[in-house]
Amino acid sequence: MNQTLSAAQEIAQLREQLNEYNYRYYVLDDPTVPDAEYDRLMRRLQGLEASHPELMSADSPTQRVGGEALAAFDQVTHEVPMLSLDNAFSVDELKAFEKRLQDRLGRLDQLEFACEPKLDGIAVSLLYVEGTLVRGATRGDGTTGEDITANVRTIDSIPLRLRGPSVPPLLEVRGEIYMPKAGFESLNAAARERGDKPFVNPRNAAAGSLRQLDPRITATRPLQMCCYSLGRVEGMELPLNHSEVLQQLNAWGLRINREMQVVEGAEACQSYYEQMALKRVQLPYEIDGIVFKVNSLELQRRLGFVSRAPRWAIAYKFPAQEEMTRLLDVEFQV
Ligand code: NAD
Protein backbone atom coordinates (compact mmCIF):
# COMPACT_ATOMS: atom_id res chain seq x y z
CA MET A 1 0.00 0.00 0.00
CA ASN A 2 2.75 2.34 1.12
CA GLN A 3 4.87 1.36 -1.85
CA THR A 4 1.99 2.13 -4.22
CA LEU A 5 1.57 5.48 -2.58
CA SER A 6 5.22 6.40 -3.08
CA ALA A 7 5.14 5.12 -6.67
CA ALA A 8 2.05 7.27 -7.23
CA GLN A 9 3.84 10.28 -5.85
CA GLU A 10 6.93 9.68 -7.95
CA ILE A 11 4.78 9.17 -11.05
CA ALA A 12 2.92 12.42 -10.40
CA GLN A 13 6.19 14.27 -9.90
CA LEU A 14 7.77 12.82 -13.05
CA ARG A 15 4.70 13.68 -15.12
CA GLU A 16 4.76 17.24 -13.93
CA GLN A 17 8.49 17.56 -14.57
CA LEU A 18 8.30 16.01 -18.06
CA ASN A 19 5.30 18.15 -19.01
CA GLU A 20 7.27 21.24 -18.09
CA TYR A 21 10.33 20.04 -20.08
CA ASN A 22 8.10 19.27 -23.08
CA TYR A 23 6.61 22.74 -22.96
CA ARG A 24 10.05 24.35 -22.87
CA TYR A 25 11.39 22.12 -25.64
CA TYR A 26 8.47 21.88 -28.08
CA VAL A 27 6.52 25.08 -27.49
CA LEU A 28 9.13 27.62 -26.45
CA ASP A 29 12.10 25.99 -28.32
CA ASP A 30 14.08 26.71 -25.18
CA PRO A 31 15.10 23.43 -23.47
CA THR A 32 16.23 23.55 -19.86
CA VAL A 33 17.75 20.06 -19.51
CA PRO A 34 19.93 17.89 -21.76
CA ASP A 35 18.11 15.24 -23.82
CA ALA A 36 19.86 12.42 -21.96
CA GLU A 37 18.39 13.63 -18.67
CA TYR A 38 14.94 13.93 -20.27
CA ASP A 39 15.28 10.39 -21.69
CA ARG A 40 16.34 9.06 -18.27
CA LEU A 41 13.28 10.54 -16.54
CA MET A 42 10.98 9.34 -19.34
CA ARG A 43 12.33 5.80 -18.97
CA ARG A 44 11.85 5.92 -15.22
CA LEU A 45 8.24 7.01 -15.70
CA GLN A 46 7.64 4.29 -18.32
CA GLY A 47 9.10 1.69 -15.95
CA LEU A 48 6.93 2.83 -13.03
CA GLU A 49 3.81 2.89 -15.17
CA ALA A 50 4.58 -0.59 -16.50
CA SER A 51 4.88 -2.01 -12.99
CA HIS A 52 1.83 -0.08 -11.73
CA PRO A 53 -0.70 -0.32 -14.58
CA GLU A 54 -3.43 0.86 -12.22
CA LEU A 55 -1.69 4.26 -12.16
CA MET A 56 -1.61 4.61 -15.93
CA SER A 57 -3.31 7.68 -17.34
CA ALA A 58 -4.18 8.67 -20.90
CA ASP A 59 -2.69 12.12 -20.41
CA SER A 60 0.67 10.90 -19.16
CA PRO A 61 3.65 12.27 -21.15
CA THR A 62 4.50 8.64 -22.02
CA GLN A 63 1.32 8.52 -24.12
CA ARG A 64 1.95 11.69 -26.07
CA VAL A 65 3.94 12.65 -29.12
CA GLY A 66 5.77 15.97 -28.98
CA GLY A 67 4.11 19.25 -28.17
CA GLU A 68 1.08 21.34 -28.89
CA ALA A 69 0.56 23.53 -31.94
CA LEU A 70 1.24 27.24 -31.39
CA ALA A 71 -1.82 29.47 -31.60
CA ALA A 72 -0.17 31.89 -34.05
CA PHE A 73 -0.11 29.40 -36.94
CA ASP A 74 -3.14 27.78 -38.50
CA GLN A 75 -3.65 24.26 -37.31
CA VAL A 76 -3.36 21.23 -39.55
CA THR A 77 -4.88 17.84 -38.80
CA HIS A 78 -2.73 14.86 -39.77
CA GLU A 79 -5.07 12.25 -41.21
CA VAL A 80 -2.32 9.68 -40.80
CA PRO A 81 -0.88 10.49 -37.36
CA MET A 82 2.77 11.56 -37.20
CA LEU A 83 4.18 9.36 -34.50
CA SER A 84 7.34 9.28 -32.45
CA LEU A 85 9.77 6.33 -32.22
CA ASP A 86 10.53 3.89 -29.45
CA ASN A 87 14.07 4.14 -28.13
CA ALA A 88 16.82 1.63 -27.49
CA PHE A 89 19.94 2.51 -25.54
CA SER A 90 21.95 -0.74 -25.72
CA VAL A 91 22.66 -3.69 -27.97
CA ASP A 92 20.55 -5.88 -25.68
CA GLU A 93 17.58 -3.60 -26.22
CA LEU A 94 18.18 -3.79 -29.96
CA LYS A 95 18.19 -7.60 -29.83
CA ALA A 96 15.05 -7.55 -27.68
CA PHE A 97 13.42 -5.38 -30.37
CA GLU A 98 14.22 -7.97 -33.06
CA LYS A 99 12.99 -10.78 -30.81
CA ARG A 100 9.67 -8.98 -30.21
CA LEU A 101 9.19 -8.62 -33.96
CA GLN A 102 10.00 -12.27 -34.64
CA ASP A 103 7.62 -13.41 -31.89
CA ARG A 104 4.82 -11.21 -33.13
CA LEU A 105 5.30 -12.30 -36.74
CA GLY A 106 5.78 -15.92 -35.69
CA ARG A 107 9.06 -16.37 -37.55
CA LEU A 108 12.59 -17.28 -36.62
CA ASP A 109 14.58 -16.03 -39.59
CA GLN A 110 16.38 -12.73 -39.54
CA LEU A 111 14.44 -9.68 -40.63
CA GLU A 112 15.61 -7.11 -43.13
CA PHE A 113 16.06 -3.61 -41.72
CA ALA A 114 16.57 -0.23 -43.34
CA CYS A 115 19.15 1.68 -41.28
CA GLU A 116 19.10 5.47 -41.34
CA PRO A 117 20.88 8.15 -39.34
CA LYS A 118 18.49 9.81 -36.91
CA LEU A 119 18.68 13.47 -37.83
CA ASP A 120 18.25 15.87 -34.98
CA GLY A 121 15.74 18.35 -36.36
CA ILE A 122 11.99 18.86 -36.68
CA ALA A 123 9.57 16.33 -38.16
CA VAL A 124 7.61 17.89 -41.01
CA SER A 125 4.90 16.78 -43.43
CA LEU A 126 4.80 18.07 -47.03
CA LEU A 127 1.64 17.69 -49.07
CA TYR A 128 1.85 17.55 -52.86
CA VAL A 129 -1.33 17.69 -54.94
CA GLU A 130 -0.87 16.93 -58.65
CA GLY A 131 2.87 17.29 -58.01
CA THR A 132 2.62 20.81 -56.53
CA LEU A 133 3.57 21.62 -52.94
CA VAL A 134 0.38 22.88 -51.28
CA ARG A 135 1.11 22.53 -47.58
CA GLY A 136 3.91 22.11 -45.08
CA ALA A 137 3.12 21.26 -41.46
CA THR A 138 4.95 20.45 -38.24
CA ARG A 139 4.26 17.23 -36.35
CA GLY A 140 2.89 19.04 -33.29
CA ASP A 141 1.29 16.51 -30.98
CA GLY A 142 1.12 13.96 -33.80
CA THR A 143 -2.52 14.69 -34.65
CA THR A 144 -2.52 18.48 -34.84
CA GLY A 145 0.45 20.40 -36.21
CA GLU A 146 1.17 23.94 -37.37
CA ASP A 147 0.74 25.14 -40.93
CA ILE A 148 4.22 26.36 -41.90
CA THR A 149 3.71 26.34 -45.68
CA ALA A 150 5.10 29.85 -46.23
CA ASN A 151 8.25 28.90 -44.32
CA VAL A 152 8.94 25.55 -45.96
CA ARG A 153 8.58 27.19 -49.36
CA THR A 154 11.75 29.18 -48.59
CA ILE A 155 13.88 26.01 -48.21
CA ASP A 156 15.85 25.33 -51.39
CA SER A 157 16.00 21.55 -51.03
CA ILE A 158 12.18 21.30 -50.91
CA PRO A 159 10.85 21.17 -54.49
CA LEU A 160 7.80 23.33 -55.15
CA ARG A 161 6.97 20.88 -57.97
CA LEU A 162 7.90 17.21 -58.10
CA ARG A 163 9.70 15.84 -61.16
CA GLY A 164 8.84 12.97 -63.42
CA PRO A 165 5.82 11.42 -65.10
CA SER A 166 4.75 8.97 -62.35
CA VAL A 167 3.92 11.48 -59.59
CA PRO A 168 0.65 10.44 -57.87
CA PRO A 169 -2.27 12.91 -57.62
CA LEU A 170 -1.88 13.09 -53.84
CA LEU A 171 1.36 12.51 -51.99
CA GLU A 172 2.23 13.36 -48.41
CA VAL A 173 5.94 13.08 -47.66
CA ARG A 174 7.50 13.15 -44.22
CA GLY A 175 10.98 13.99 -43.17
CA GLU A 176 13.22 16.05 -40.98
CA ILE A 177 14.08 19.72 -41.44
CA TYR A 178 17.44 20.38 -39.87
CA MET A 179 20.25 22.90 -39.82
CA PRO A 180 23.66 21.62 -41.00
CA LYS A 181 26.54 22.14 -38.55
CA ALA A 182 28.33 24.77 -40.67
CA GLY A 183 25.19 26.90 -41.06
CA PHE A 184 24.53 26.65 -37.34
CA GLU A 185 28.06 27.84 -36.51
CA SER A 186 27.82 30.86 -38.78
CA LEU A 187 24.31 31.74 -37.56
CA ASN A 188 25.53 31.69 -33.97
CA ALA A 189 28.71 33.61 -34.79
CA ALA A 190 26.54 36.35 -36.32
CA ALA A 191 24.20 36.30 -33.30
CA ARG A 192 27.14 36.73 -30.90
CA GLU A 193 28.50 39.60 -32.96
CA ARG A 194 25.17 41.38 -32.63
CA GLY A 195 25.07 40.59 -28.92
CA ASP A 196 22.04 38.31 -29.38
CA LYS A 197 21.50 35.04 -27.55
CA PRO A 198 22.93 32.14 -29.59
CA PHE A 199 20.94 28.96 -30.20
CA VAL A 200 21.62 26.02 -27.88
CA ASN A 201 22.09 23.47 -30.68
CA PRO A 202 21.24 22.93 -34.37
CA ARG A 203 17.90 21.29 -33.56
CA ASN A 204 16.86 24.25 -31.52
CA ALA A 205 18.02 26.64 -34.26
CA ALA A 206 16.02 24.69 -36.88
CA ALA A 207 12.89 24.75 -34.71
CA GLY A 208 13.21 28.48 -34.03
CA SER A 209 13.84 29.25 -37.71
CA LEU A 210 10.90 27.20 -38.91
CA ARG A 211 8.42 28.76 -36.53
CA GLN A 212 9.01 32.34 -37.58
CA LEU A 213 5.83 34.23 -38.35
CA ASP A 214 7.77 36.19 -40.99
CA PRO A 215 8.94 33.77 -43.74
CA ARG A 216 11.57 36.31 -44.84
CA ILE A 217 13.47 35.48 -41.65
CA THR A 218 13.18 31.73 -42.32
CA ALA A 219 14.51 32.36 -45.84
CA THR A 220 17.80 33.67 -44.38
CA ARG A 221 18.34 30.54 -42.26
CA PRO A 222 20.44 27.63 -43.60
CA LEU A 223 17.79 24.86 -43.42
CA GLN A 224 17.71 21.53 -45.23
CA MET A 225 15.15 18.78 -45.53
CA CYS A 226 15.73 15.04 -45.68
CA CYS A 227 12.73 12.79 -46.42
CA TYR A 228 12.23 9.43 -44.70
CA SER A 229 8.64 8.25 -45.16
CA LEU A 230 5.22 8.62 -46.74
CA GLY A 231 2.02 9.82 -45.12
CA ARG A 232 -1.20 9.83 -47.16
CA VAL A 233 -0.87 8.63 -50.73
CA GLU A 234 -3.57 8.30 -53.38
CA GLY A 235 -3.47 6.93 -56.90
CA MET A 236 -0.22 5.02 -56.63
CA GLU A 237 0.77 1.44 -56.00
CA LEU A 238 3.31 1.30 -53.19
CA PRO A 239 6.62 -0.49 -53.67
CA LEU A 240 7.36 -3.57 -51.56
CA ASN A 241 10.04 -2.06 -49.35
CA HIS A 242 10.75 1.08 -47.40
CA SER A 243 14.14 1.44 -49.13
CA GLU A 244 12.35 1.49 -52.51
CA VAL A 245 10.00 4.19 -51.23
CA LEU A 246 13.05 6.32 -50.45
CA GLN A 247 14.53 5.75 -53.92
CA GLN A 248 11.20 6.75 -55.46
CA LEU A 249 11.07 9.95 -53.38
CA ASN A 250 14.56 10.76 -54.55
CA ALA A 251 13.55 10.23 -58.18
CA TRP A 252 10.73 12.76 -57.68
CA GLY A 253 13.31 15.33 -56.59
CA LEU A 254 13.19 15.00 -52.81
CA ARG A 255 16.36 14.63 -50.72
CA ILE A 256 16.96 11.38 -48.86
CA ASN A 257 19.85 10.33 -46.65
CA ARG A 258 22.70 8.83 -48.65
CA GLU A 259 23.91 6.86 -45.59
CA MET A 260 20.83 4.61 -45.67
CA GLN A 261 21.65 0.90 -45.85
CA VAL A 262 19.61 -2.29 -45.84
CA VAL A 263 20.93 -5.09 -43.58
CA GLU A 264 19.73 -8.39 -42.14
CA GLY A 265 19.35 -9.03 -38.43
CA ALA A 266 20.12 -7.17 -35.19
CA GLU A 267 23.84 -7.91 -35.30
CA ALA A 268 24.26 -6.23 -38.65
CA CYS A 269 22.23 -3.32 -37.26
CA GLN A 270 24.71 -3.08 -34.40
CA SER A 271 27.65 -2.97 -36.86
CA TYR A 272 25.96 -0.19 -38.82
CA TYR A 273 25.40 1.69 -35.56
CA GLU A 274 29.08 1.36 -34.57
CA GLN A 275 30.25 2.42 -38.02
CA MET A 276 28.02 5.51 -37.93
CA ALA A 277 29.08 6.35 -34.36
CA LEU A 278 32.64 6.65 -35.71
CA LYS A 279 31.55 8.63 -38.73
CA ARG A 280 29.29 10.92 -36.73
CA VAL A 281 31.76 13.78 -36.18
CA GLN A 282 32.56 13.96 -39.89
CA LEU A 283 28.94 14.23 -40.98
CA PRO A 284 27.89 17.77 -41.97
CA TYR A 285 24.76 17.48 -39.78
CA GLU A 286 24.00 16.35 -36.25
CA ILE A 287 22.57 12.93 -35.60
CA ASP A 288 21.51 11.60 -32.21
CA GLY A 289 21.20 7.93 -33.08
CA ILE A 290 20.23 5.43 -35.75
CA VAL A 291 16.70 4.49 -36.79
CA PHE A 292 16.10 0.86 -37.76
CA LYS A 293 12.93 0.11 -39.69
CA VAL A 294 11.55 -3.22 -40.85
CA ASN A 295 12.11 -2.90 -44.59
CA SER A 296 9.07 -4.79 -45.86
CA LEU A 297 5.96 -2.57 -46.00
CA GLU A 298 3.78 -5.66 -45.76
CA LEU A 299 5.45 -6.65 -42.47
CA GLN A 300 5.15 -3.05 -41.26
CA ARG A 301 1.40 -3.22 -41.86
CA ARG A 302 1.15 -6.50 -39.99
CA LEU A 303 3.14 -5.16 -37.04
CA GLY A 304 1.16 -1.92 -36.74
CA PHE A 305 1.45 0.67 -33.99
CA VAL A 306 1.27 1.14 -30.26
CA SER A 307 0.02 4.40 -28.75
CA ARG A 308 2.81 6.77 -29.77
CA ALA A 309 5.13 4.78 -32.04
CA PRO A 310 5.23 2.13 -34.76
CA ARG A 311 6.14 -1.38 -33.59
CA TRP A 312 8.33 -1.89 -36.66
CA ALA A 313 10.91 0.84 -35.95
CA ILE A 314 13.29 1.78 -33.19
CA ALA A 315 15.64 4.70 -32.56
CA TYR A 316 18.91 3.47 -31.10
CA LYS A 317 20.31 6.58 -29.48
CA PHE A 318 23.98 7.40 -29.20
CA PRO A 319 25.22 7.81 -25.64
CA ALA A 320 24.95 11.36 -24.36
CA GLN A 321 28.20 13.12 -25.04
CA GLU A 322 28.89 16.48 -23.59
CA GLU A 323 25.25 17.54 -23.73
CA MET A 324 25.17 19.26 -20.40
CA THR A 325 28.49 20.98 -21.09
CA ARG A 326 27.07 22.22 -24.35
CA LEU A 327 23.98 23.64 -22.68
CA LEU A 328 26.11 25.26 -19.99
CA ASP A 329 28.70 26.56 -22.45
CA VAL A 330 26.06 28.41 -24.36
CA GLU A 331 24.65 29.90 -21.21
CA PHE A 332 28.08 31.17 -20.18
CA GLN A 333 28.73 32.66 -23.59
CA VAL A 334 25.60 34.80 -23.49
P1 NAD B 1 12.65 11.04 -30.93
O1 NAD B 1 13.51 12.21 -31.24
O2 NAD B 1 13.16 10.08 -29.93
O3 NAD B 1 12.35 10.23 -32.30
C1 NAD B 1 11.28 10.43 -33.21
C2 NAD B 1 11.61 11.45 -34.26
O4 NAD B 1 12.82 11.14 -34.90
C3 NAD B 1 10.65 11.48 -35.41
O5 NAD B 1 9.46 12.13 -35.09
C4 NAD B 1 11.45 12.22 -36.43
O6 NAD B 1 11.28 13.60 -36.25
C5 NAD B 1 12.87 11.91 -36.06
N1 NAD B 1 13.67 11.23 -37.10
C6 NAD B 1 14.92 11.60 -37.44
N2 NAD B 1 15.41 10.84 -38.40
C7 NAD B 1 14.45 9.92 -38.69
C8 NAD B 1 14.37 8.85 -39.62
N3 NAD B 1 15.39 8.54 -40.40
N4 NAD B 1 13.22 8.13 -39.66
C9 NAD B 1 12.19 8.42 -38.83
N5 NAD B 1 12.21 9.43 -37.93
C10 NAD B 1 13.33 10.17 -37.86
O7 NAD B 1 11.23 11.45 -30.49
P2 NAD B 1 10.56 12.86 -30.40
O8 NAD B 1 9.19 12.52 -29.95
O9 NAD B 1 10.77 13.67 -31.62
O10 NAD B 1 11.37 13.60 -29.28
C11 NAD B 1 11.62 13.03 -28.06
C12 NAD B 1 13.07 13.30 -27.74
O11 NAD B 1 13.27 14.71 -27.71
C13 NAD B 1 13.41 12.81 -26.37
O12 NAD B 1 13.86 11.48 -26.41
C14 NAD B 1 14.47 13.79 -25.93
O13 NAD B 1 15.73 13.31 -26.33
C15 NAD B 1 14.11 15.05 -26.66
N6 NAD B 1 13.40 15.99 -25.74
C16 NAD B 1 14.16 16.73 -24.94
C17 NAD B 1 13.58 17.61 -24.06
C18 NAD B 1 14.47 18.44 -23.18
O14 NAD B 1 13.95 19.19 -22.36
N7 NAD B 1 15.77 18.35 -23.31
C19 NAD B 1 12.18 17.72 -23.97
C20 NAD B 1 11.41 16.94 -24.82
C21 NAD B 1 12.03 16.06 -25.70
Side-chain angles (χ1 to χ4, degrees):
M1 176 68 190
N2 244 346
Q3 208 191 350
T4 310
L5 198 67
S6 71
Q9 281 168 339
E10 192 181 350
I11 285 176
Q13 196 195 358
L14 284 166
R15 284 178 184 161
E16 194 183 322
Q17 226 174 337
L18 287 164
N19 279 335
E20 176 64 21
Y21 292 159
N22 278 341
Y23 174 70
R24 298 292 304 232
Y25 183 89
Y26 289 112
V27 181
L28 303 184
D29 293 328
D30 186 19
T32 42
V33 290
D35 289 356
E37 170 68 0
Y38 176 91
D39 290 340
R40 196 184 61 75
L41 297 176
M42 180 60 96
R43 282 240 146 171
R44 173 83 189 139
L45 178 58
Q46 284 166 339
L48 284 170
E49 287 177 346
S51 44
H52 298 276
E54 73 284 3
L55 298 175
M56 193 58 213
S57 152
D59 64 359
S60 169
T62 58
Q63 303 304 298
R64 287 168 54 92
V65 174
E68 296 140 38
L70 284 179
F73 291 97
D74 284 343
Q75 300 203 336
V76 167
T77 304
H78 300 299
E79 287 181 33
V80 179
M82 290 183 78
L83 298 173
S84 181
L85 293 169
D86 263 351
N87 290 327
F89 293 92
S90 68
V91 63
D92 286 344
E93 289 178 1
L94 185 62
K95 287 186 184 151
F97 164 66
E98 188 185 36
K99 174 88 174 48
R100 277 199 303 279
L101 299 177
Q102 287 168 329
D103 288 349
R104 193 164 260 276
L105 294 169
R107 51 193 277 178
L108 295 169
D109 56 329
Q110 291 192 323
L111 295 168
E112 199 174 80
F113 293 100
C115 318
E116 298 165 31
K118 181 170 180 296
L119 293 162
D120 205 6
I122 308 297
V124 165
S125 142
L126 301 177
L127 183 65
Y128 288 90
V129 175
E130 303 298 346
T132 301
L133 176 68
V134 298
R135 197 194 70 195
T138 62
R139 184 184 67 176
D141 66 4
T143 308
T144 308
E146 292 149 10
D147 186 329
I148 51 161
T149 310
N151 291 349
V152 300
R153 286 176 62 90
T154 69
I155 300 173
D156 294 335
S157 49
I158 297 181
L160 299 180
R161 259 205 87 73
L162 297 176
R163 314 152 57 96
S166 60
V167 176
L170 187 140
L171 178 74
E172 187 200 349
V173 181
R174 287 162 180 191
E176 200 85 351
I177 291 185
Y178 62 96
M179 190 173 286
K181 288 173 186 168
F184 169 72
E185 295 303 337
S186 50
L187 188 68
N188 264 1
R192 282 193 203 99
E193 232 163 71
R194 288 193 308 271
D196 289 348
K197 190 180 168 197
F199 290 103
V200 174
N201 54 41
R203 184 210 171 269
N204 186 244
S209 302
L210 214 48
R211 291 161 106 195
Q212 292 291 329
L213 289 172
D214 182 352
R216 284 171 302 184
I217 299 180
T218 311
T220 66
R221 303 286 171 84
L223 296 170
Q224 291 264 20
M225 171 134 181
C226 175
C227 299
Y228 51 65
S229 69
L230 294 174
R232 259 178 83 199
V233 184
E234 281 170 21
M236 169 195 160
E237 206 172 307
L238 289 180
L240 293 179
N241 293 317
H242 172 72
S243 50
E244 291 166 323
V245 168
L246 296 182
Q247 297 310 332
Q248 179 61 76
L249 292 179
N250 202 215
W252 285 327
L254 294 153
R255 282 180 76 247
I256 58 167
N257 198 302
R258 63 175 67 166
E259 308 292 340
M260 193 275 296
Q261 270 179 35
V262 177
V263 305
E264 263 185 37
E267 268 174 38
C269 289
Q270 174 68 18
S271 310
Y272 178 90
Y273 172 89
E274 285 166 10
Q275 199 185 306
M276 289 305 294
L278 290 175
K279 203 169 176 184
R280 186 181 180 188
V281 286
Q282 296 159 26
L283 293 173
Y285 45 78
E286 287 222 338
I287 62 174
D288 61 347
I290 302 296
V291 185
F292 299 108
K293 300 172 183 170
V294 169
N295 200 26
S296 152
L297 297 190
E298 167 57 23
L299 293 184
Q300 289 188 4
R301 268 190 295 274
R302 278 173 55 194
L303 288 161
F305 300 86
V306 281
S307 64
R308 60 188 287 278
R311 281 204 189 86
W312 41 263
I314 200 150
Y316 186 0
K317 298 244 178 141
F318 290 127
Q321 290 178 319
E322 42 350 304
E323 294 207 45
M324 188 45 131
T325 351
R326 254 170 36 205
L327 268 181
L328 291 176
D329 272 349
V330 170
E331 266 160 31
F332 286 134
Q333 278 158 13
V334 174

